[in-house]
Amino acid sequence: MGAFMRTPRILDLFCCAGGAAAGYDAAGFDVHGVDIAEQPHFPYSMTVADVMTLPRSYLREFDAIHASPPCQAYSDLAHRNGNADSWPRLIEPVREMLEATGRPYVIENVEGAPLRNYVVLCGTMFPSLRVIRHRLFEANFPIPEPAHMPHPLCHTLDKRKAHYGKTNEWIDYVSVNGGGNCSIAAARDAMGIPWMTKKEINEAIPPAYTEYVGTLLMEYLGMAKKKSVKEQLGQFFLEHKGEVVNAQQLQEVASGRTEWARRVRELRSDYGWPIQTQNDASDLKQGEYRLTGDPPAPGTYDFSPRVSQTQRFRILERNGFTCQACGAGAGEMDSEGRPVRLHVDHHEAYSHGGSISDSNLRVLCSACNQGAKNITAQPPHWSLLMTHLRRASRDDQIRALKWLKDKFE
């Protein structure tokens, strides 16, 4: 097909609060939703209607169709409760309806649903996510399945688990099912969904899933893709390289969309852009950013030497959740009154040929990580350690003794 000059349109059936819709929007589609009930948090235009009564002529007004039929009849919970037959089984009639339109379509649902030739998407396949949420995708166009990475430990509130108290809801994987195990703010961050309530997040899919599917769909349709929020932000940073820019400017570039912060993080972590924040440079305030140099050329950034979440936790635990240069620990405040943030860093920098083996990794706080700049920081001298220990309270000295015994016994 030839490229379309207009923005392609996709219909999101059973749209709920818009997790799938946001991904298609990021992929370049103009999204319109349909749901049987009003969805006050759905961020795009929508129609309240029974999906199964929509005329075929209406469906054909769109370039592609996505459908997420109710999943309760197929869920593990319904089978465990023995009430799966209490819910409608709509996948077969929805598939028949979509096939009759002749349009490209996607059907998404939970594991156990009767989808055909499906692929499984998981949060471990997308570096920006911190959730393990398996969803099946059936389509009448090719969807290659990304590599399914090992599942890392999830943040826990269960004191019986060995890793209780050693994880951070803002860094590690979290659970957002049912009651979940983290705050609503952390769940939103982990899913890439800043606008939903807890109940809505429980039923949503991460937009990253449908951004991936939507990008493939764009290629299949041969349609011209509009610039994504990430591309717009990247262009803005390049135009202001070396300058300090703030959150308000970036939000304006993103047309007010709340996803801008996540896209900046993806430019930094996934694409290697040298964008500094307050955690990297002491002269930057909260909400300020600076591109310090040219980003890697397309196709030259090596994604393979990434420290996995499992390895990251292992290094943090090995180093006692403590900066190996200054001794700052997780949950403490730094000299400027900011919460200490810990990073897993290389002894010998990757840019200098260092590996990502455990022996070449260590824990540094943001301040020391900034100061290191690919130079190994010297650990504090014995006399300095003894000075701090002598000045500490008896309770803190006992804690230090216990920590050393646990580490070396």
Side-chain angles (χ1 to χ4, degrees), residues 18-166:
Y24 285 116
D25 173 63
F29 283 92
D30 180 7
V31 186
H32 184 82
V34 177
D35 202 278
I36 199 166
E38 185 69 44
Q39 300 292 335
H41 296 143
F42 186 75
Y44 310 97
S45 63
M46 71 165 292
T47 299
V48 177
D50 181 348
V51 167
M52 304 311 297
T53 66
L54 294 173
R56 190 176 302 174
S57 59
Y58 174 75
L59 300 175
R60 285 177 172 164
E61 293 178 10
F62 296 85
D63 300 296
I65 305 171
H66 172 99
S68 297
C71 63
Q72 290 89 342
Y74 316 108
S75 69
D76 286 338
L77 179 61
H79 287 290
R80 289 198 302 269
N81 293 340
N83 63 347
D85 293 335
S86 302
W87 304 95
R89 301 178 66 88
L90 296 181
I91 286 181
E92 292 84 354
V94 165
R95 179 190 294 119
E96 183 179 348
M97 178 178 70
L98 298 184
E99 287 179 336
T101 67
R103 295 288 188 261
Y105 71 80
V106 179
I107 303 176
E108 173 271 323
N109 223 271
V110 297
E111 290 182 303
L115 297 188
R116 300 173 180 168
N117 301 318
Y118 59 79
V119 298
V120 180
L121 296 186
C122 170
T124 63
M125 300 173 177
F126 303 90
S128 62
L129 300 180
R130 294 185 294 110
V131 289
I132 299 168
R133 175 156 287 192
H134 288 184
R135 289 297 183 267
L136 312 185
F137 288 79
E138 171 188 327
N140 58 352
F141 59 92
I143 301 179
E145 186 169 297
H148 201 155
M149 307 302 291
H151 289 180
L153 287 172
C154 283
H155 179 62
T156 184
L157 302 178
D158 187 346
K159 295 182 179 180
R160 297 169 297 179
K161 294 187 181 295
H163 64 288
Y164 171 76
K166 299 176 182 178

Side-chain angles (χ1 to χ4, degrees), residues 153 173 214 218 227 275 283 290 306 310 318 339 341 360:
L153 287 172
Y173 274 60
M218 277 283 192
K227 273 192 176 180
I275 299 174
D283 64 318
R290 178 171 53 219
R306 296 177 61 85
T310 301
R318 183 196 69 189
R341 296 197 177 189
N360 191 46

Side-chain angles (χ1 to χ4, degrees), residues 361-379:
L361 296 176
R362 58 176 174 177
V363 175
L364 290 182
C365 68
S366 297
C368 293
N369 193 35
Q370 175 198 351
K373 299 202 181 292
N374 295 340
I375 301 174
T376 302
Q378 293 296 320

Side-chain angles (χ1 to χ4, degrees), residues 165-167 313 315-323 328-330 342 363:
K166 299 176 182 178
T167 53
F313 175 80
I315 302 304
L316 285 167
E317 185 177 41
R318 183 196 69 189
N319 289 166
F321 292 82
T322 302
C323 175
L342 299 178
V363 175

Side-chain angles (χ1 to χ4, degrees), residues 318-319 324 402-409:
R318 183 196 69 189
N319 289 166
Q324 300 303 287
K402 183 179 183 301
W403 182 82
L404 288 170
K405 290 178 67 177
D406 290 343
K407 179 175 181 180
F408 293 106
E409 286 185 351

